Amino acid sequence: MPRSTRRRPALAHPAAEEIDLFDVLHALSDPTRMTIVRVLRTEPERACGTFPVDVAPSTLSHHFKVLRESGLIVQREEANRRFSALRTVDLEQRFPGLLDTVLAAHAAAAHAAAVAHAGTAG
């Protein structure tokens, strides 16, 4: 049986000047999406199925769509794989310091939660 020759629809990415603060903040409000953004902050590009998250593939696709449509990431397709990268330059130009501030606050909250958990486990 021949494989389908249908192409997937083109990926939608907002122009840098169209990135909306509230869309970005909404996208960053989810723990799975924060994990994706944290990983991409340390790696320039990564294949979509290789992130350390424990969600179904369809759910992961949804998270990537939210991140892409908010303007946080750019995605490209190569054969049957999709790669993601953080739009660091666009985000820094549009909202200076925002990404670093949100990532630092997230790390601090995660650390505080780990310390609190360790205190109750002892």
Side-chain angles (χ1 to χ4, degrees):
M1 177 177 272
R3 290 180 53 116
S4 172
T5 57
R6 285 188 350 197
R7 294 191 44 91
R8 292 194 276 189
L11 298 171
H13 298 91
E17 63 275 4
E18 295 173 344
I19 297 174
D20 181 79
L21 177 61
F22 296 108
D23 291 340
V24 170
L25 292 175
H26 167 74
L28 293 173
S29 70
D30 182 87
T32 299
R33 293 192 290 264
M34 279 300 297
T35 298
I36 293 167
V37 170
R38 275 193 356 258
V39 168
L40 289 174
R41 189 65 166 160
T42 62
E43 296 180 28
E45 186 177 61
R46 189 166 179 150
C48 289
T50 65
F51 287 83
V53 294
D54 189 25
V55 296
S58 60
T59 303
L60 187 57
S61 292
H62 168 74
H63 287 304
F64 283 119
K65 180 180 179 183
V66 170
L67 290 167
R68 185 181 67 248
E69 290 181 351
S70 72
L72 277 160
I73 66 169
V74 62
Q75 291 185 303
R76 68 176 181 86
E77 293 181 335
E78 185 177 296
N80 65 344
R81 298 190 83 180
R82 188 172 283 176
F83 292 86
S84 298
L86 203 54
R87 292 179 66 175
T88 308
V89 172
D90 291 339
L91 292 165
E92 190 59 28
Q93 287 176 347
R94 187 90 168 108
F95 310 111
L98 176 70
L99 194 55
D100 288 336
T101 300
V102 171
L103 288 170
H106 183 265
H111 176 74
V115 169
H117 179 72
T120 60

